[in-house]
Amino acid sequence: MTLDRFAPAIFVLLWSTGWVVAKYAARHSEPFTFLGIRYGLSALAFFGLCWVLKAKWPDRATVLRAIYSGFFLHGFYLAGLWWAIANGVAAGISGIIAALQPLLTAMVAPFLIGERLQPTQKFGLLLGFFGIAVAVSPKLLDPVAASLVHAAVPLAINLIAMVSVTYGTIYQKKHLQTGDLKTIATMQYVGALIVTLPLALAFERLHFDPTAEAFGALIWSVFGLSMGGIGLLLYLIRRGQVSRAASLIYLMPPAVAVEAFIAFGEPLTVPLIAGTIVVVTGVYLTNRKSARMAEA
């Protein structure tokens, strides 16, 4: 019962460390190279878990859908996010941009699944994007930056990554409603590897600095995030507490900002704090109706 009570909060706090890990990993490895190693080990770890638990593997069509969804849920998403962080986007700002996922999902839902937005939800969308503008404004206007493009390109890539994970989430909801989640997760990491490995071979030198910090970031990425985070999500689904976990997603941006401040000394500036509050408010307003429906 204690785990039931604290599992959603643990999940959010665990997942929020992904941005901090990305910053640590950037010190010792190129982003695509690190992610390629992570995805390969994650796929093997999940395969071993499926073998031990004798999980039932899906049919060929479901396997292909899972691999395809992995292109966007993990592959393009984290490739863009980690590249952006490696090229100067602060972990705290990237965490705020991550809050755009539910906003983007709500924005495209009317076109993809015919879901109409209420006036409050539309206001929440506008508020969320305004909050992002407030949070990133110092980055774009920083006179230290070589040019506007130097600052804007990594932020744009980070935003594109949010579009990728939004599409992947909607695709999974439409096409992967059944099947063992452990086997689906395995195939999704295979899909992510298919995306990331060519990027590493084409654009990087496959550099990985074999230091304790690098291996620590890798171990945490595989077992803490890929295995631990997904394991907790599976537990929450089985216990019927997904709505509680979803509601705590609103705490992700401030959690990342605080962790980045502790780990790297990233300043908790007024625009960052104000932007976080505005984004969290926008996400809450946009998702309030759907959350109530889920609890009903």
Side-chain angles (χ1 to χ4, degrees):
M1 292 300 101
T2 301
L3 183 57
D4 284 355
R5 178 178 300 178
F6 294 106
I10 294 173
F11 168 73
V12 171
L13 291 174
L14 187 69
W15 207 248
S16 68
T17 64
W19 283 263
V20 176
V21 169
K23 191 92 171 182
Y24 275 119
R27 297 175 173 178
H28 304 284
S29 176
E30 296 161 303
F32 303 147
T33 299
F34 189 96
L35 287 174
I37 298 172
R38 170 183 171 178
Y39 291 149
L41 293 176
S42 297
L44 289 174
F46 264 108
F47 181 81
L49 181 65
C50 293
W51 181 74
V52 170
L53 299 179
K54 299 180 179 179
K56 182 179 179 180
W57 289 89
D59 56 39
R60 181 179 178 182
T62 303
V63 167
L64 292 177
R65 292 191 189 101
I67 292 174
Y68 179 77
S69 68
F71 291 169
F72 301 93
L73 281 174
H74 303 304
F76 292 122
Y77 167 49
L78 287 185
L81 190 153
W82 282 50
W83 184 90
I85 290 178
N87 284 273
V89 174
I93 290 179
S94 184
I96 295 177
I97 295 176
L100 280 178
Q101 181 192 346
L103 296 178
L104 289 174
T105 301
M107 187 172 65
V108 301
F111 304 100
L112 297 181
I113 58 179
E115 180 181 295
R116 301 183 63 181
L117 296 178
Q118 300 300 314
T120 302
Q121 293 176 300
K122 293 179 181 179
F123 176 71
L125 282 173
L126 294 175
L127 201 61
F129 285 106
F130 176 73
I132 292 294
V134 171
V136 305
S137 58
K139 179 71 175 178
L140 294 177
L141 301 176
D142 185 1
V144 177
S147 66
L148 181 62
V149 174
H150 176 81
V153 169
L155 288 170
I157 295 298
N158 205 149
L159 287 168
I160 292 172
M162 291 305 105
V163 175
S164 173
V165 73
T166 299
Y167 172 75
T169 300
I170 294 175
Y171 181 87
Q172 176 155 336
K173 288 181 179 179
K174 292 183 65 175
H175 300 289
L176 292 170
Q177 292 287 352
T178 59
D180 191 302
L181 289 175
K182 296 184 295 297
T183 58
I184 289 175
T186 304
M187 292 297 101
Q188 286 175 333
Y189 281 116
V190 171
L193 183 61
I194 291 174
V195 168
T196 310
L197 186 57
L199 290 174
L201 292 173
F203 299 108
E204 296 179 347
R205 297 177 291 108
L206 305 182
H207 170 72
F208 181 87
D209 186 11
T211 64
E213 189 173 86
F215 281 114
L218 182 61
I219 291 171
W220 181 252
S221 294
V222 173
F223 296 101
L225 296 172
S226 296
M227 296 292 291
I230 294 297
L232 261 181
L233 180 61
L234 296 176
Y235 177 83
L236 290 169
I237 292 174
R238 176 167 293 181
R239 303 295 294 183
Q241 297 185 30
V242 180
S243 61
R244 287 182 60 194
S247 66
L248 288 173
I249 291 296
Y250 309 140
L251 298 178
M252 189 77 74
V256 174
V258 171
E259 289 168 9
F261 170 74
I262 295 173
F264 309 112
E266 291 186 3
L268 295 174
T269 62
V270 172
L272 180 62
I273 296 172
T276 297
I277 294 173
V278 173
V279 169
V280 169
T281 303
V283 173
Y284 170 75
L285 292 175
T286 305
N287 290 273
R288 183 171 56 177
K289 181 179 178 181
S290 59
R292 286 178 176 175
M293 292 176 63
E295 293 172 358

